[in-house]
Amino acid sequence: MCRGVQHPIHGLFLRSYLSQVSRDKLPDIGSEYEGDGDTVMDAVEFVLQNFTEMNKLWIRMQHQGPVRVEEKLEKERSELRDLVGKNLHVLSQIEGIDLEMYKDNVLPRILEQVVDCKDELAQYYLMECIIQVFPDEYHLQTLETLLGACPLLQPTVDIKTVLSQLMERLSNYAASSAEVLPEFLQVEAFSKLSNAIGKVIEAQVDMPIVGVITLYVSLLTFTLHVHPDRLDYVDQVLGACVKKLSGKAKLEDSKATKQVVALLSAPLEKFNEIVTALTLSNYPRVMDHLDSETNKVMAMVIIQSIMKNNTCVSTADQVEVLFELIKGLIKDLDGTHGDELDDEDFKEEQNSVARLIHMLYHDEPEEMLQIICLVRKHIMTGGPKRLPFTVPSLVFSSLKLVRRLQGQDGDVVGEETIETLSSVPSPELALRLYLQCAEAANDCDLEPVAYEFFTQAFVLYEEEVTDSKAQVTAIHLIIGTLQRMNVFGVENRDTLTHKATGYSAKLLKKPDQCRAVYACSHLFWVDDQDGIKDGERVLLCLKRSLRIANAAQQMANVTRGSSGPVILFVEILNKYLYFFEKGNPQITSAAIQDLVELIRTEMQSDTTTPDPASDPFFASTLRYIQFQKQKSGAMGEKYDPIKV
């Protein structure tokens, strides 16, 4: 009946029934039907013949109606495909089929049928079936035969999915046990797959670029699983991808872009550290084909990988490659402008680059200096928006090196780097960095260098820092840094101190002037062994700040009709107490007594504005004086004459 029924659907179901009822009656090893002249080969012959006939009937189905119902027929055919595939499943269950028989007889016969049928649906489905039903070991040993059929299939067959499935199965097989890895090397699995993919791409000229890249992603995943030590294979896959992409414009297809990101992310995930990926010469070349937005995304992935794995990038060559990879974050690519980017995203990107700079380190100072110079070369191309984020990291990285080289001559920091920042609209930041550098020069005992940095900071202050609040912050930073400096000789220190006190007295608001001037008093009294202790000039500063506080009170009188808060006087009183305790002979208990009385009088005045801060501050200061008076010994005696 099977031979007699020619109607495709009837024939299919009849032969399917034949396959079902005969599956447990085949002359297989260990079955009751073995022997009597019947062999496993007869069983194979029977199933293969049934498979061939069913496949022909299945393909004939599409010619069974008018063209207008073609879509309906295609749907029906798709639903009946499992009837044909069951034959291959039966074949895979026959115990007697060993690798030799599969290699010499079974696979060639199935593939002959697949190639000859010239039907897109049948070819795709049957290739899928072969990969799914037969064992991984058989696939590995017959790789050449299986792959040889791929370029012979119809150009419309989705061969990339078939090959991807095959590579996925082989990857899992390799991962299942380390003992099978030598087999992969023995059969040269990588080069066979690589060649097959090349041939398929050549044969299918219309394959979209996303299909091509998907194939390379699968090959790369296979390589990383099976040959994780063979970086040359990984680079080869990336190289093949570059070759295919070259000559084309930047990728605009979002699916293809996603696949390229997957291709570039795979080595990072596998090796858990970027340094390995930096040795792949084709890695940056693949990145070049991404549009600038995706290029940035990939650059962030790379930086995050470094942060997550705490990777230390330690040679100048690696740094060069790394900065080539993340250039999308460091400068505007292809005429694109950072303005288009969301402000928050931009800050996050630039902060990531700044953090990355701290991950670059080498024990050898010469190599580290080379790294710093390289980073400087790259980040200086970043433009005014980026520099305020990236320069500080570079400067601090340089200062770290300077401190490691303490005692050796030379200015390593590179003053021009900070100068660039002062030309960018970020003078306050540049000023801070100059002061940091002056401190480093101080630690290294380089007086001329420290003096030069201070001079630059003062020039910036005079010419660029115009906002009054920024001026207050800047002057306190200058005073604080100068107070810690011990490298200057008398003349240089006097010049700088004179400048600082001069700027303090010229601040816009009287309270700011007062606070900056009394802060300057610390410049004349440095409380360490060899520190400066010029009591007279300390007193001059404090008296001057008192005069300014008085002037502020009178001005408040004129403008508001009532005097301002007395908090400035309380602050100055605390400075008097500080220097009094430090043993400054110019600060006497009588002067402190006078100041306490002055504050009391001011606070009791009807015109004084009540201030929630100054009352408790003054009360607490008086409690402190009382506490010191009660102490035994020298301190108690010192405070004794003060009446509170």
Side-chain angles (χ1 to χ4, degrees), residues 111-159:
L111 287 176
E112 183 185 355
Q113 176 57 31
V114 172
V115 173
D116 288 351
C117 76
K118 296 201 169 12
D119 177 75
E120 178 194 341
L121 183 64
Q123 287 183 336
Y124 175 68
Y125 171 65
L126 294 173
M127 287 301 280
E128 255 191 332
C129 262
I130 295 168
I131 289 165
Q132 294 305 327
V133 300
F134 291 107
D136 298 324
E137 184 195 350
Y138 285 16
H139 291 325
L140 190 58
Q141 297 300 333
T142 57
L143 208 46
E144 212 160 339
T145 316
L146 191 55
L147 294 172
C150 293
L152 306 174
L153 303 178
Q154 297 298 97
T156 48
V157 173
D158 181 11
I159 197 67

